[in-house]
Amino acid sequence: MEVVSPEGLRQDGRTVSCLRKISCRLGLYDQPNGSSYIEMGNTKILAAVYGPHEVKNLKKQQLDEVIIQCEVSRIAASQGERVKRPRDQRTRAMSQQIASVFEGAIRKSKYPGSQIDIYIQVLQSDGGVLSACINASTLALIHAGVELKDYVASCTASICRGEPILDVSYVETQSSCELTIAVLPNKETICSLHISNTLHQTQLDEVLKIAMDGCQSVYKEMHAVVREYMRNQHAIMTHV
Amino acid sequence: MPEGNGHLLCVPGERLCESNETFIGGEGTYTLNGYIFASVAGKVEQDVRDKITLIKVSRGGETSVMPEVGSIITGRVLSVNQLQANISILAVGENMLHTPFQGTLKKVNVRQHEIDRW
């Protein structure tokens, strides 16, 4: 199967450095402090943030900073094959990864002795689930008003016959690796990097570069949505 | 860039201004490498007090606050016994909490003298 055609187009008609369509929404629910929904191509994620609140398990409490707990679950029909368990080893690993990403982004000392919970629901997965989860949680955290050092924008990249490709779908990851990075876009620093399958060391730099550029585009998209949301909110507030 | 009815809006990670003797970062901001950055999404407010400008970002509406040492709280008493009262903390200062916190009010502490003695 050809991932990139001789004309330089991929199966869904994108060029190698083209992202899938991103659309996101903030504030879907009233119950959690913050909530968001993101679509990156066919990958659809819901995220909800509760907190900062009192620590449930006092053994885990840290008096000088906040603890971050994350839970990812998938609905049964999120993939081609029916998912037997909503939470398994893979989602648990993903949860820990997401929690550790936000360890670096949340200003933890602002909320001493408390806890922030992030709940993520994967509605549909088509590659780049981890990155979509990270983006969704960022939006939910911003909506919740949790103090962040910066946005966390995440994106995937891969390489196919020596040519780096951005934002891979599920089909494209089958034949090559999938590199997921999360960056703080204003600081231009990477806070998480994860590669599934093998990638040659000499190719890492160019894949990383294209992924970094992708993250900046993802950031711009999220930024626009947050701004639009805030503008509406403040417009409502000043009318009252 | 004023927008949203003339307010200056900002998002986390956005650089607001240089941090020096005249500009100091307040709540909703942090200082890094000599610059003040926003850490929440909201409205930028300036508080000018004799030459010093306090920059802060207010979210508007409900803010997430934590009860700290010295903060004045509003709570509801859940149960009372010989030694203490269990309360649920509903508000800190003027801000309502999203989820109530648990608190205990010890009888020995509610007096002016010898507050450490049992």
Side-chain angles (χ1 to χ4, degrees):
Chain A
M1 189 201 68
E2 286 274 295
V3 173
V4 182
S5 70
E7 294 84 36
L9 292 176
R10 293 196 254 169
Q11 284 189 332
D12 44 9
R14 288 183 290 156
T15 57
V16 285
S17 60
C18 188
L19 283 167
R20 291 177 288 176
K21 186 179 181 293
I22 299 174
S23 63
C24 32
R25 274 174 64 194
L26 263 80
L28 297 101
Y29 302 117
D30 290 332
Q31 175 75 13
N33 295 52
S35 53
S36 72
Y37 170 73
I38 193 165
E39 269 181 43
M40 293 174 84
N42 287 326
T43 305
K44 294 169 187 173
I45 312 283
L46 264 175
V49 167
Y50 290 83
H53 61 77
E54 225 176 354
V55 180
K56 297 268 162 59
N57 184 355
L58 285 173
K59 269 184 199 163
K60 287 185 184 164
Q61 187 177 36
Q62 292 189 0
L63 291 173
D64 54 341
E65 54 184 27
V66 64
I67 55 168
I68 299 152
Q69 219 172 49
C70 178
E71 205 168 289
V72 179
S73 68
R74 300 174 294 181
I75 63 166
S78 66
Q79 289 171 16
E81 215 170 285
R82 188 181 153 84
V83 175
K84 290 217 178 76
R85 293 196 191 94
R87 286 182 284 273
D88 57 9
Q89 214 171 351
R90 197 182 293 178
T91 59
R92 267 206 297 280
M94 202 150 80
S95 316
Q96 287 195 349
Q97 236 170 341
I98 294 165
S100 64
V101 168
F102 288 101
E103 298 264 322
I106 292 174
R107 296 182 63 204
K108 297 204 294 178
S109 55
K110 268 277 165 185
Y111 310 103
S114 60
Q115 176 182 347
I116 293 172
D117 293 329
I118 307 170
Y119 292 100
I120 297 165
Q121 182 89 45
V122 180
L123 302 179
Q124 196 172 324
S125 64
D126 180 28
V129 176
L130 178 61
S131 71
C133 286
I134 292 171
N135 292 335
S137 337
T138 307
L139 291 173
L141 284 166
I142 289 170
H143 181 236
V146 173
E147 298 215 6
L148 295 167
K149 282 180 200 139
D150 200 346
Y151 273 78
V152 188
S154 177
C155 184
T156 59
S158 178
I159 194 152
C160 169
R161 300 228 176 91
E163 189 161 25
I165 51 177
L166 186 67
D167 196 12
V168 283
S169 66
Y170 179 71
V171 191
E172 288 163 340
T173 56
Q174 295 306 94
S175 55
S176 58
C177 72
E178 185 184 21
L179 172 135
T180 306
I181 61 163
V183 300
L184 306 177
N186 288 310
K187 312 270 181 297
E188 289 184 350
T189 48
I190 297 174
C191 56
S192 150
L193 192 152
H194 178 252
I195 304 173
S196 60
N197 298 336
T198 51
L199 173 69
H200 198 268
Q201 199 185 350
T202 51
Q203 297 173 323
L204 178 66
D205 279 344
E206 46 182 339
V207 178
L208 207 55
K209 192 181 171 300
I210 195 171
M212 289 280 270
D213 293 342
C215 285
Q216 291 292 344
S217 322
V218 171
Y219 165 63
K220 280 196 193 104
E221 284 293 321
M222 298 202 309
H223 186 98
V225 171
V226 172
R227 268 209 177 277
E228 189 57 43
Y229 175 80
M230 276 186 354
R231 217 173 288 154
N232 292 337
Q233 283 287 306
H234 279 266
I236 293 165
M237 264 158 37
T238 41
H239 274 302
V240 174
Chain B
M1 40 198 143
E3 50 190 340
N5 289 12
H7 296 305
L8 195 65
L9 300 178
C10 66
V11 293
E14 205 164 276
R15 198 165 72 187
L16 298 175
C17 63
E18 217 172 322
S19 167
N20 49 32
E21 296 87 49
T22 50
F23 287 99
I24 294 172
E27 57 184 293
T29 65
Y30 65 97
T31 312
L32 186 80
N33 300 334
Y35 287 98
I36 298 172
F37 293 87
S39 63
V40 291
K43 191 168 71 183
V44 184
E45 286 174 356
Q46 292 184 22
D47 201 351
V48 187
R49 279 183 206 153
D50 47 28
K51 285 180 189 170
I52 295 170
T53 311
L54 186 72
I55 306 282
K56 54 183 180 182
V57 180
S58 75
R59 242 163 61 72
E62 57 181 90
T63 45
S64 53
V65 279
M66 302 293 296
E68 290 166 16
V69 175
S71 53
I72 295 168
I73 58 116
T74 310
R76 178 184 288 130
V77 177
L78 298 175
S79 67
V80 185
N81 61 28
Q82 293 277 313
L83 295 171
Q84 63 188 38
N86 287 319
I87 51 171
S88 113
I89 301 169
L90 301 174
V92 177
E94 292 175 344
N95 302 309
M96 267 292 276
L97 288 170
H98 194 270
T99 46
F101 273 69
Q102 285 291 315
T104 46
L105 189 63
K106 293 224 164 79
K107 195 172 127 192
V108 289
N109 290 339
V110 194
R111 60 183 177 198
Q112 286 290 312
H113 60 285
E114 293 182 312
I115 55 164
D116 292 328
R117 195 132 133 219
W118 284 90

